[in-house]
Amino acid sequence: MRFSVLTFPGSNCDHDCWHALKNVLRQKVDLVWHKEARLPQGTDCVVVPGGFSYGDYLRCGAIARFSPVMAAVRAHAGRGGLVIGICNGFQILTESGLLPGALLRNRSLKFLCETVHLRVENASTPFSRLARGGRVLAVPIAHGEGNYTCDAETLRHLEDRGQVVFRYCEEDGAVTPRANPNGSLENIAGIVNQAGNVLGMMPHPERVCETEMGGTDGRLIFESMLDALTAKG
Amino acid sequence: MILAKIHVTLKKSVLDPQGVAISEALHSMGYPHVESARLGKYLELRLDDRGRSKNELQAQVKDMCERLLANTVIEHYEFELQAIPS
Amino acid sequence: MILAKIHVTLKKSVLDPQGVAISEALHSMGYPHVESARLGKYLELRLDDRGRSKNELQAQVKDMCERLLANTVIEHYEFELQAIPS
Amino acid sequence: MPITPKVVKEHGLTAGEYRNILKILGRKPTYTELGIFSVMWSEHCSYKTSKPLLKGFPTRGPQVLQGPGENAGVVDIGGGFGVCFKIESHNHPSAIEPYQGAATGVGGILRDVFTMGARPIACLDSLRFGDPKDPHVRNLIKGVVAGIGGYGNCVGIPTVAGETVFDDVYRENCLVNAMAVGLLRADRIARGTASGLGNPIIYIGSTTGRDGIHGATFASVELSEQSGERRSAVQVADPFMEKLLLEATLELVASGLLVGIQDMGAAGLTSSSVEMAFRGGAGAEIDVSLVPKRESGMAPYEVMLSESQERMLLVARKGKEKGVLKILEKWGLHAAVVGRVTGDGRHKVFEGGRLVSSIPVKPLADDHHPLFPRAHRPEKRPAYLAKTRAFKLRSVPEPKDYGEAFWKLWSGPNLAGKGWIWRQYDHMVRTNTLVLPGSDAALLRVKENGSAIALAVDGNGRYCYLDPFVGGMIAVAEAARNVAMSGARPLACTDCLNFGNPEDPEIMWQFHQAVKGMAEAAQALGTPVVSGNVSLYNESPRRAVDPTPVVGVLGLLKPVQGRLRWASQWFQRGGDAVYLAGETREELGGSEYLARLHGLKAGQPPALDLRREKALQEFVIRAVGRGLLASAHDLADGGLLAALAESCVRGARRGSPALGARVALAGSIRMDALLFGESQSRALLSCRPGDSAALESLARRLRVPLKRLGEVGGSSLRVEASAPGRQVRLDLPVSEVENVHDKAFPSLMGEESL
Ligand SMILES: Nc1ncnc2c1ncn2[C@@H]1O[C@H](COP(=O)(O)OP(=O)(O)O)[C@@H](O)[C@H]1O
Ligand SMILES: [Mg+2]
């Protein structure tokens, strides 16, 4: 499978995603500079990585969304291609309108880096199909603005259509206010668009793909994508 | 030269974690009568208006707000233009 | 009820990296006539004014700015008070 | 502006220094020239007080690829790779504007590292504040921590370790030291050199503003009530610009288009251009009218002295400008050719066609030049030592209740877990951090050559106050020991020397003694000093800070048969055997115990025998390498009981429940010294029962005392201790031990939790 990992000025998890996909999952990966108007031929999946695109100045992801490559990403998504936005990537996708809602400052107003637990809420998306519903994953977060919000109607749609894929939870899977690291609405950690091919999540799966990095739960997300792509043929 | 003064504020329905923190800090500093605080952004753009009408600039600043300066999912904006010596 | 509208802006001599990024983004979006952008903060405080004179509130808001809301090392502030129905 | 004696004095120049200026120029200086002399000859840039002393540091070794003298030092880590690192202070700016001060400190040290052509892979921070319950201090802490995180996080460099110490002496003058570590190809070290007649000098990065003028001079005076007025010395950080500069610099260095490169740090354009010309044995011409400016009407003096952040100076090969510009354009950076390398050995500044400064390079930068400033500072043994050394342990009563004593120490700011701090730092980005913050040293894998590096930073102001020579030795030894606990072999160190006003003979004595002690330890432990920084004048009208040398150590962990084996401080499995390596003596002088429980800063710090220290480190390194150890933790503040508790609580990765332990101790010394004493060269270890014999025999062979204390397991830390005339039994539930460890610091900060 072929992955395109985008690099914006200020991206800093692009190489981590590249490493996980290339050296751990042994896939074809291109780093794609944001000025490119087109994605490399044969791109199956676009990764919008974490970092501080354009310094996160003005608002996280606000300026990156105007990069030339984003038009190509939109087209790719429109064709049903897979797109995963991680952390700053999630912010860029909401700013671009590819995903609903917005990400506000963490409730604590502090940047927070730690491992959290995620309950898989919908195991039928291309990003979670190798998990059982209710499975708990341990994945780190590292962000200052991951406090997901949207209006009541959007929330209802998200819930009704199973677009909430991951929720912050306790180690045993209980979704509690204590398990919510940033104040996100309904403990939301990751959502998909209505078509199900675009995922945004605040936690960093690429950081937990190797045992020595403290866990491999992140692989499940990438492997689900590979599985979905294979199934699609 | 035109100065555009732009205010971007969170919509009423959106919780403002920074505003909450500010009002709590003010309470603990001895200002119990602060009922609430909201934090927004204030932008000043200097625009070269040579060859451009006021209406045109007005429309452009609105576009800039809609496209970049405010995230209309959660934010509200307001602006005024003011002529300044260049 | 009193509404305090507070503008906090970076002092002129202080670099405003966000302003620079914003103006560059606006240029690349097709607004070359944006000469410069500066980004500041805009705060609204609602103050309960029962039993407090306008002068007193004025002095208090100044204090709040000096102590918490603005960092006078690098920032400049301005405010106005406005009566609003409570 | 006319150059009057008053103006000269305001520039921090002595009458003698001014006479030397007249000799060098053969005439009166222009105002711009005076400014250039004043910053180049400031303590901060010239090291006029410290240079002679620093010469005592060992700086060589087969592992050293670049010692002091460049922007940062470099050591060899094998496989064709080197690690570049340095520590630096940003104390005064942080005291005045904590967020920006700390952030720009991180920015500055990162530039020192990538200027060498190294990709930054980690940051560390060493912080000292007053009492965190004091609202003023609290704001400083919040701002500093947010600033360090804000910068490193944005640039994408993990902040992986650090230390945080609280003591009233730092209330007015906090210490904020930042360390950066980078990785480079050993054959591609870039240097800050200007050579090649006619080669263009290129300016890149942020615009030049009036901010930070006289920052270098500012760093060289005491903080006072008027420091607020000098606030223009504080700059705003632009980490996004830094990230662009970093990527562009690395690409430029790899391109081979450059002759030299240097960041504009203290004294900005002046020091960078002067130092590059000096290293290249050349001259340089700068035209300030070509410098990108943020404000109009800036005088040449202001442009040359501005310390605006995120700027770099390059010297390119003539004719290669296009290639350079192309790389810069990719990263959206503007560049300006602002001058050229000349052959006349002079540093000249023009404003358009007008020559505004012309000074020979050598006396500005060469400390061997006869007219280069030298500060001969008298020394005097401090009077307070008579009192602190007269201290008798006999005068201190033992605690009635050792459980209570433990909780008091454990919940105090110095022993409290620092997760509140390091969770605000992205410590995982780049996916190399094998051991996360919280253990003695951070450990990072080096994907490029299959090895790993360990990093720790340490210092103890209280020890140094009581005996700067011993305290200086311990700073080096403890940092190295922390690194050794992970299994890595300490390779080299960097140091930041934070002291008061050196014009005070007692402070000068502290400084000299500390440096001597550090040099001796660095020599004995085989960790040459490859880079460092001196920060003097750390005092307020009320008092000077404790003498606080801070040492960062880099260690190397090589793979064994393709596999990396390391240890962290945390117990791994119930049933493992618990050991204490090293010897415990009746040493409580300068301890955290005396300070926190008895309010005393007195006595003599623990003795350090460098041979024993070396043996202990060797023992742990070999034991980890052979896979004999499940955990290894050095004993420091709070002694054995604190170390036991620290091994019980879990690290940041919390897969399984916390483990208790059951240990028995016996000693012929006072109970408080047995439990809380800070004797050096000790480690708390745990191993599988099956490895006990091998571990014991290794210890015998290396002549390291090793005593089995008990075993890991259970839900509490149970200690049975006997000392002459005293028996103590403690049963500390680990859940409570961990809970206090997690919550104590946030609660001192007035927060529930993060
Ligand atoms: N300011 C800080 N930044 C990052 N990590 C920190 C900081 N302060 C303390 N730590 C981490 O907390 C742990 C305990 O620190 P410390 O008590 O200084 O250890 P030690 O006594 O072994 O030197 C270490 O892992 C250290 O890296
Ligand atoms: Mg330690």
Side-chain angles (χ1 to χ4, degrees):
Chain A
M1 294 299 150
R2 187 161 199 141
F3 288 80
S4 286
V5 177
L6 309 187
T7 303
F8 297 93
S11 293
N12 60 38
C13 301
D14 46 342
H15 278 93
D16 298 352
C17 290
W18 180 88
H19 169 76
L21 291 165
K22 174 99 184 165
N23 300 329
V24 183
L25 288 134
R26 307 259 161 222
Q27 300 302 308
K28 294 194 200 91
V29 198
D30 300 294
L31 282 172
V32 180
W33 184 236
H34 75 117
K35 287 253 175 79
E36 300 293 331
R38 265 186 282 156
L39 295 169
Q41 194 72 45
T43 295
D44 296 296
C45 173
V46 175
V47 181
V48 193
F52 288 70
S53 56
Y54 291 94
D56 273 355
Y57 292 159
L58 184 62
R59 285 185 317 279
C60 305
I63 300 179
R65 111 178 217 226
F66 293 99
S67 282
V69 77
M70 285 310 292
V73 172
R74 204 182 300 271
H76 172 83
R79 289 191 297 271
L82 295 187
V83 178
I84 176 172
I86 300 166
C87 197
N88 194 226
F90 187 9
Q91 294 160 341
I92 294 172
L93 294 178
T94 56
E95 282 282 339
S96 308
L98 281 164
L99 289 172
L103 293 139
L104 299 172
R105 278 288 285 273
N106 291 352
R107 184 181 40 193
S108 67
L109 303 183
K110 292 190 185 74
F111 186 96
L112 189 55
C113 176
E114 67 178 358
T115 296
V116 297
H117 293 96
L118 304 178
R119 192 171 77 187
V120 177
E121 299 290 280
N122 178 346
S124 63
T125 76
F127 309 93
S128 56
R129 55 191 273 153
L130 295 184
R132 271 172 293 106
R135 166 138 186 214
V136 174
L137 309 176
V139 185
I141 54 167
H143 62 245
E145 315 208 358
N147 180 351
Y148 183 81
T149 190
C150 63
D151 61 39
E153 193 183 325
T154 309
L155 179 66
R156 209 177 58 242
H157 281 154
L158 288 176
E159 298 282 11
D160 288 353
R161 298 182 183 132
Q163 285 175 250
V164 177
V165 184
F166 303 114
R167 252 188 257 273
Y168 301 109
C169 66
E170 309 273 344
E171 220 173 314
D172 65 3
V175 174
T176 63
R178 199 184 65 172
N180 187 337
N182 52 27
S184 275
L185 197 60
E186 300 296 331
N187 284 40
I188 288 175
I191 56 168
V192 284
N193 62 347
Q194 197 175 332
N197 62 322
V198 178
L199 173 88
M201 65 188 293
M202 288 314 295
H204 287 272
E206 79 280 10
R207 294 187 181 187
V208 273
C209 288
E210 297 162 276
T211 333
E212 63 261 47
M213 289 293 106
T216 57
D217 283 358
R219 286 178 66 151
L220 187 125
I221 292 168
F222 295 119
E223 280 164 355
S224 290
M225 293 161 71
L226 293 175
D227 189 61
L229 289 166
T230 316
K232 215 169 85 180
Chain B
M1 190 71 63
I2 293 284
L3 186 68
K5 297 178 166 187
I6 306 168
H7 288 86
V8 179
T9 47
L10 279 173
K11 287 185 178 165
K12 277 243 172 61
S13 58
V14 176
L15 180 78
D16 172 12
Q18 286 172 279
V20 172
I22 289 168
S23 75
E24 281 172 6
L26 290 173
H27 291 169
S28 74
M29 286 165 66
Y31 306 106
H33 51 300
V34 175
E35 300 249 314
S36 70
R38 301 280 289 173
L39 179 65
K41 288 179 202 143
Y42 171 64
L43 282 124
E44 286 186 352
L45 304 184
R46 292 166 65 93
L47 306 170
D48 183 350
D49 59 341
R50 278 169 299 180
R52 286 188 177 81
S53 72
K54 178 117 190 215
N55 272 350
E56 193 184 337
L57 285 175
Q58 192 95 21
Q60 282 188 336
V61 172
K62 181 163 189 292
D63 269 7
M64 294 180 206
C65 288
E66 296 271 340
R67 291 175 65 198
L68 177 71
L69 303 177
N71 176 349
T72 52
V73 173
I74 44 170
E75 291 170 331
H76 177 82
Y77 66 88
E78 251 173 41
F79 66 89
E80 54 177 321
L81 303 187
Q82 180 186 319
I84 49 167
S86 47
Chain C
M1 190 72 62
I2 293 285
L3 186 67
K5 296 179 165 185
I6 307 169
H7 287 87
V8 179
T9 48
L10 282 171
K11 287 185 181 166
K12 269 238 178 66
S13 64
V14 173
L15 174 76
D16 176 10
Q18 307 210 65
V20 173
I22 291 166
S23 75
E24 283 176 5
L26 289 172
H27 291 167
S28 71
M29 289 166 66
Y31 308 105
H33 51 299
V34 176
E35 301 248 314
S36 71
R38 303 277 292 174
L39 180 64
K41 284 183 245 170
Y42 172 65
L43 281 125
E44 287 186 352
L45 305 183
R46 294 166 63 93
L47 305 170
D48 183 349
D49 60 339
R50 278 170 299 181
R52 286 190 176 80
S53 71
K54 178 117 189 214
N55 272 351
E56 192 183 340
L57 285 174
Q58 192 95 20
Q60 282 188 338
V61 172
K62 181 163 187 293
D63 270 5
M64 294 180 205
C65 288
E66 297 270 342
R67 291 174 63 195
L68 180 74
L69 306 176
N71 175 352
T72 53
V73 176
I74 48 174
E75 290 170 331
H76 180 84
Y77 65 88
E78 249 174 43
F79 64 89
E80 53 176 323
L81 303 187
Q82 181 185 322
I84 50 167
S86 46
Chain D
M1 179 168 313
I3 312 288
T4 62
K6 182 159 169 274
V7 171
V8 171
K9 189 152 178 257
E10 276 168 2
H11 278 75
L13 290 161
T14 65
E17 286 166 355
Y18 185 66
R19 276 196 301 277
N20 285 354
I21 293 176
L22 296 177
K23 267 192 224 155
I24 291 164
L25 297 175
R27 58 175 164 79
K28 268 190 149 192
T30 64
Y31 190 52
T32 307
E33 287 169 338
L34 189 74
I36 290 179
F37 273 110
S38 94
V39 291
M40 288 308 297
W41 285 2
S42 70
E43 187 65 59
H44 196 78
C45 290
S46 74
Y47 283 75
K48 56 190 168 193
T49 297
S50 52
K51 248 292 163 49
L53 307 187
L54 302 183
K55 291 206 165 116
F57 280 150
T59 58
R60 277 190 253 266
Q63 73 275 43
V64 179
L65 299 177
Q66 173 67 58
E70 272 288 341
N71 289 299
V74 183
V75 295
D76 193 345
I77 59 156
F81 288 89
V83 167
C84 173
F85 65 108
K86 187 182 177 199
I87 188 167
E88 201 162 70
S89 69
H90 233 212
N91 304 338
H92 286 181
S94 304
I96 286 180
E97 210 307 299
Y99 184 97
Q100 300 295 346
T104 51
V106 174
I109 193 65
L110 282 172
R111 281 194 295 287
D112 273 334
V113 161
F114 69 72
T115 287
M116 301 291 294
R119 175 171 288 281
I121 55 172
C123 286
L124 292 86
D125 61 332
S126 165
L127 311 176
R128 281 174 179 66
F129 301 101
D131 182 354
K133 283 200 209 143
D134 174 337
H136 164 73
V137 174
R138 227 176 237 179
N139 282 333
L140 279 178
I141 298 170
K142 285 186 188 164
V144 164
V145 169
I148 290 172
Y151 208 98
N153 298 344
C154 183
V155 183
I157 317 300
T159 302
V160 296
E163 55 155 3
T164 318
V165 177
F166 300 92
D167 190 308
D168 239 20
V169 295
Y170 305 107
R171 187 187 181 277
E172 289 83 16
N173 196 130
C174 59
L175 301 184
V176 176
N177 295 177
M179 173 170 159
V181 182
L183 182 72
L184 45 62
R185 289 249 317 256
D187 58 356
R188 265 206 207 148
I189 302 178
R191 294 193 164 87
T193 306
S195 60
L197 205 62
N199 276 337
I201 298 177
I202 302 177
Y203 170 115
I204 64 172
S206 200
T207 47
T208 296
R210 287 198 171 91
D211 49 345
I213 290 173
H214 277 301
T217 326
F218 170 59
S220 311
V221 296
E222 298 162 27
L223 284 181
S224 66
E225 297 306 321
Q226 290 100 47
S227 301
E229 310 287 301
R230 292 187 178 256
R231 280 169 171 178
S232 67
V234 175
Q235 303 113 29
V236 170
D238 184 355
F240 173 55
M241 175 61 82
E242 180 98 340
K243 168 78 172 160
L244 302 177
L245 281 177
L246 153 64
E247 297 298 341
T249 297
L250 296 182
E251 230 179 288
L252 283 167
V253 168
S255 75
L257 300 169
L258 297 185
V259 173
I261 179 163
Q262 171 147 351
D263 68 300
M264 294 188 224
L269 193 49
T270 294
S271 68
S272 52
S273 54
V274 169
E275 283 170 16
M276 285 180 86
F278 171 63
R279 292 201 197 96
E285 277 179 16
I286 303 284
D287 181 351
V288 292
S289 69
L290 302 173
V291 170
K293 293 182 253 330
R294 190 150 73 226
E295 294 169 71
S296 53
M298 287 182 72
Y301 176 97
E302 294 174 306
V303 176
M304 291 307 292
L305 267 57
S306 161
E307 291 189 5
S308 290
Q309 298 286 303
E310 289 95 14
R311 302 179 302 161
M312 314 270 293
L313 206 59
L314 323 175
V315 175
R317 292 185 199 288
K318 203 154 69 183
K320 303 284 185 202
E321 295 88 339
K322 267 225 182 90
V324 172
L325 293 184
K326 207 172 148 215
I327 291 173
L328 293 174
E329 197 187 292
K330 169 179 171 195
W331 293 102
L333 292 170
H334 307 293
V337 176
V338 294
R340 58 190 187 94
V341 179
T342 61
D344 62 1
R346 293 186 84 84
H347 181 268
K348 291 186 185 163
V349 180
F350 292 86
E351 187 181 37
R354 192 166 70 95
L355 180 68
V356 293
S357 167
S358 173
I359 307 174
V361 168
K362 283 219 168 124
L364 277 179
D366 182 0
D367 59 322
H368 295 296
H369 193 281
L371 297 177
F372 189 81
R374 277 169 194 83
H376 296 287
R377 312 264 191 223
E379 295 178 21
K380 187 172 142 263
R381 197 184 130 101
Y384 69 78
L385 287 176
K387 214 169 109 203
T388 60
R389 299 219 173 146
F391 167 78
K392 292 277 175 298
L393 189 53
R394 266 183 281 118
S395 65
V396 173
E398 281 193 44
K400 287 198 189 65
D401 179 341
Y402 272 92
E404 201 177 289
F406 167 78
W407 291 114
K408 182 147 190 230
L409 259 178
W410 187 241
S411 60
N414 288 328
L415 288 194
K418 300 300 183 301
W420 183 92
I421 295 173
W422 49 253
R423 275 205 297 266
Q424 294 186 57
Y425 304 154
D426 190 340
H427 46 265
M428 304 175 186
V429 60
R430 304 189 59 75
T431 59
N432 293 323
T433 321
L434 298 170
V435 175
L436 304 183
S439 190
D440 287 325
L443 190 69
L444 278 84
R445 66 176 174 183
V446 179
K447 294 180 190 121
E448 288 77 356
N449 75 352
S451 70
I453 57 169
L455 297 163
V457 58
D458 248 302
N460 191 317
R462 200 156 52 218
Y463 289 175
C464 289
Y465 175 78
L466 298 172
D467 187 333
F469 180 83
V470 174
M473 283 205 296
I474 290 178
V476 175
E478 196 184 334
R481 195 187 313 140
N482 278 327
V483 157
M485 292 300 120
S486 69
R489 187 172 295 281
L491 279 190
C493 61
T494 181
D495 67 288
C496 191
L497 304 171
N498 304 278
F499 289 82
N501 181 347
E503 293 153 39
D504 174 342
E506 295 194 347
I507 299 224
M508 197 55 205
W509 184 86
Q510 292 175 334
F511 185 48
H512 195 169
Q513 291 293 313
V515 168
K516 276 209 266 190
M518 294 166 75
E520 201 162 309
Q523 184 71 47
L525 298 176
T527 51
V529 178
V530 298
S531 60
N533 173 249
V534 177
S535 171
L536 300 173
Y537 301 93
N538 287 294
E539 53 183 85
S540 67
R542 282 216 299 150
R543 64 191 153 193
V545 300
D546 280 350
T548 313
V550 168
V551 177
V553 167
L554 168 84
L556 177 63
L557 188 81
K558 287 193 195 144
V560 184
Q561 285 152 6
R563 244 190 80 207
L564 289 173
R565 276 206 179 113
W566 70 84
S568 67
Q569 74 181 34
W570 302 294
F571 289 144
Q572 296 293 315
R573 275 173 307 266
D576 281 359
V578 176
Y579 283 93
L580 175 66
E583 226 180 299
T584 306
R585 277 165 289 190
E586 194 166 271
E587 293 176 308
L588 283 168
S591 64
E592 178 68 14
Y593 162 78
L594 277 193
R596 175 129 181 99
L597 273 87
H598 300 281
L600 289 169
K601 189 184 279 194
Q604 185 71 27
L608 177 67
D609 177 329
L610 288 164
R611 269 201 349 270
R612 286 182 195 204
E613 178 67 41
K614 181 96 182 136
L616 175 90
Q617 293 185 21
E618 189 62 36
F619 165 59
V620 175
I621 293 166
R622 289 204 204 171
V624 173
R626 285 171 53 185
L628 298 177
L629 290 181
S631 73
H633 184 21
D634 94 298
L635 270 65
D637 307 40
L640 180 55
L641 196 53
L644 279 163
E646 284 163 354
S647 289
C648 288
V649 303
R650 291 168 300 173
R653 293 186 174 124
R654 295 191 164 175
S656 42
L659 290 164
R662 181 183 197 154
V663 299
L665 318 168
S668 54
I669 54 175
R670 280 168 64 127
M671 182 62 81
D672 48 1
L674 183 64
L675 293 175
F676 300 125
E678 297 177 7
S679 288
Q680 293 296 297
S681 314
R682 294 185 299 163
L684 182 71
L685 311 171
S686 73
C687 72
R688 286 182 193 273
D691 290 328
S692 283
L695 190 71
E696 287 171 15
S697 101
L698 181 64
R700 269 195 305 278
R701 218 160 4 104
L702 296 173
R703 295 175 194 283
V704 173
L706 183 70
K707 195 181 279 164
R708 189 179 160 131
L709 302 183
E711 66 177 40
V712 178
S715 59
S716 59
L717 171 58
R718 285 199 273 174
V719 180
E720 280 184 32
S722 69
R726 188 86 194 242
Q727 300 285 326
V728 166
R729 264 166 194 275
L730 296 172
D731 191 321
L732 311 165
V734 263
S735 57
E736 190 54 20
V737 170
E738 188 170 85
N739 198 38
V740 170
H741 193 63
D742 290 349
K743 304 265 168 67
F745 191 68
S747 109
L748 287 166
M749 290 294 293
E751 292 177 17
E752 297 274 296
S753 67
L754 188 62

